[in-house]
């Protein structure tokens, strides 16, 4: 009886000690390894099991990181760099913004709510809830993992591999290999048209679809020179009405801005709409 009471007291002490030592870090914009971004409390390349890091700005990843605790990218924020993101077995990564890394290795939990991209491979042995769009520049390997999501889509440039115990949710779309490589550049007779209008300091984009062509996804890209485009959003809630998609960009300036939209059908074939140009005030 005494031993049980002593063990319970020790366990409670351990829990209290862990809670006291847990810490939440909120960081804005800069390089991950810059101590000033962390207010002089740089945690290094590993997020401890009891720690939470929240990114609220544009973070440049100049080192690979291991997430044993929790890492979150807020809406409107970004985490970009040619380094690896490793989510450990008990780790959790929540992406509400834009994340681009060299390689993504997951043994824990990933919850993606916007745009997440690996320039090379995505290796999954854990759980992924992809509620928007995830891109693998090379291969997607799902070995024993669980891939789900609320209507999310995966774009894989090369191959998708899965073990016998791996799971893919029925509501997840996967586009890979030749389905992407055999994309179609827009012909002049296409019925899809991109419209852009400047209204009250914002750019309103819309895609007209008078023939009600069936589109699964829209990829929206932006450029300052009309040559180098950056993905800013993937819209998977395409409407079958005459206006198939709308999007508002409130991050504009007084220079010329170029917008390019790609329409992707359920077979993975891609149609590139004519570029729209807007000049801010």
């Amino acid at each position: 009886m005494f031993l049980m009471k002593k063990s319970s007291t020790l366990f409670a002490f351990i829990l209290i000690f862990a809670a006291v030592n847990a810490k939440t870090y909120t960081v804005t914009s800069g390089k991950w390894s810059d101590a000033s971004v962390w207010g002089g409390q740089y945690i290094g390349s590993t997020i401890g099991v009891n720690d939470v890091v929240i990114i609220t700005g544009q973070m440049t990843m100049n080192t690979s990181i291991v997430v044993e605790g929790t890492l979150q990218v807020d809406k409107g924020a970004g985490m970009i760099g040619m380094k690896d993101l490793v989510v450990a077995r008990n780790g959790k990564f929540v992406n509400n913004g834009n994340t681009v890394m060299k390689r993504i290795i997951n043994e824990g939990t990933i919850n993606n709510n916007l745009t997440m991209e690996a320039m090379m491979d995505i290796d999954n042995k854990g759980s992924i809830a992809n509620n928007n769009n995830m891109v693998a520049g090379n291969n997607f390997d799902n070995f024993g993992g669980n891939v789900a999501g609320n209507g999310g889509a995966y774009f894989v440039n090369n191959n998708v591999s899965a073990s016998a115990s791996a799971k893919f949710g029925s509501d997840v779309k996967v586009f890979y290999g030749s389905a992407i490589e055999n994309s179609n550049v827009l012909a002049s007779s296409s019925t899809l048209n991109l419209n852009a209008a400047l209204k009250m300091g914002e750019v309103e984009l819309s895609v007209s679809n008078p023939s009600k062509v069936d589109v699964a996804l829209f990829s929206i890209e932006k450029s300052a020179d009309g040559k180098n485009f950056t993905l800013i959003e993937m819209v998977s809630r395409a409407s079958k009405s005459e206006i198939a998609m709308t999007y508002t960009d409130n991050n504009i300036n007084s220079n010329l801005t170029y917008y390019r939209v790609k329409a992707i059908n359920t077979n993975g074939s891609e149609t590139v709409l004519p570029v729209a140009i807007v000049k801010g005030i």
Side-chain angles (χ1 to χ4, degrees):
M1 184 74 164
F2 174 75
L3 181 60
M4 289 180 61
K5 184 175 181 181
K6 187 175 181 180
S7 298
S8 299
T9 303
L10 179 61
F11 182 68
F13 174 78
I14 292 172
L15 290 177
I16 293 171
F17 181 80
V20 168
N21 285 275
K23 190 165 185 178
T24 297
Y25 301 84
T26 301
V27 292
T28 55
S29 299
K31 295 181 179 179
W32 180 274
S33 65
D34 185 353
S36 64
V37 174
W38 300 83
Q41 295 181 313
Y42 177 50
I43 64 170
S45 59
T46 299
I47 299 174
V49 66
N50 296 312
D51 292 335
V52 177
V53 175
I54 302 173
I55 298 175
T56 61
Q58 301 302 315
M59 182 63 66
T60 299
M61 304 305 297
N62 59 343
T63 182
S64 298
I65 59 170
V66 178
V67 182
E68 295 179 350
T70 300
L71 173 60
Q72 176 175 311
V73 179
D74 276 356
K75 186 176 182 180
M79 186 175 82
I80 299 174
M82 281 299 288
K83 301 294 180 179
D84 294 344
L85 168 64
V86 180
V87 182
R89 182 167 297 179
N90 294 315
K92 183 178 182 180
F93 177 70
V94 180
N95 181 51
N96 297 317
N98 292 305
T99 294
V100 180
M101 300 293 287
K102 180 181 179 181
R103 184 181 288 106
I104 297 171
I105 302 167
N106 177 49
E107 294 185 358
T109 301
I110 291 178
N111 193 332
N112 177 49
N113 299 310
L114 194 55
T115 302
M116 190 169 176
E117 178 176 358
M119 300 301 289
M120 295 182 67
D121 298 334
I122 296 177
D123 297 325
N124 180 52
K125 295 179 181 178
S127 174
I128 299 179
N130 179 29
N131 303 313
N132 206 305
N133 297 286
M134 190 173 287
V135 178
N138 189 29
N139 299 323
F140 183 94
D141 297 322
N142 186 25
F143 294 140
N146 182 23
V147 175
N150 182 18
Y154 292 85
F155 296 85
V156 183
N157 279 345
N158 290 322
N159 302 312
V160 176
S161 301
S163 64
S165 59
K167 297 179 181 179
F168 283 87
S170 59
D171 56 347
V172 172
K173 306 179 186 71
V174 180
F175 305 97
Y176 65 95
S178 59
I180 294 177
E181 293 171 3
N182 295 334
S183 61
N184 300 317
V185 177
L186 180 75
S188 59
S189 59
S190 173
T191 59
L192 293 168
N193 290 289
L194 173 62
N195 306 295
L198 182 66
K199 295 182 180 179
M200 299 180 66
E202 299 177 332
V203 174
E204 293 185 2
L205 301 177
S206 62
V207 173
S208 59
N209 185 14
S211 297
K212 298 183 180 179
V213 175
D214 191 13
V215 179
L217 296 163
F218 287 100
S219 165
I220 305 173
E221 300 175 335
K222 184 176 179 179
S223 171
D225 58 9
K227 297 179 181 179
N228 301 298
F229 285 83
T230 301
L231 177 69
I232 60 172
E233 182 65 283
M234 299 286 287
V235 178
S236 58
R237 297 169 296 279
S239 170
K240 291 186 178 180
S241 63
E242 291 190 7
I243 301 298
M245 185 277 297
T246 59
Y247 176 78
T248 300
D249 182 14
N250 54 23
N251 184 19
I252 63 172
N253 53 42
S254 59
N255 300 322
L256 286 176
T257 302
Y258 302 78
Y259 293 93
R260 183 172 68 189
V261 170
K262 299 175 183 177
I264 305 166
N265 69 17
T266 54
N267 295 321
S269 63
E270 185 179 277
T271 299
V272 183
L273 279 62
V275 172
I277 305 173
V278 174
K279 188 178 187 310
I281 298 175

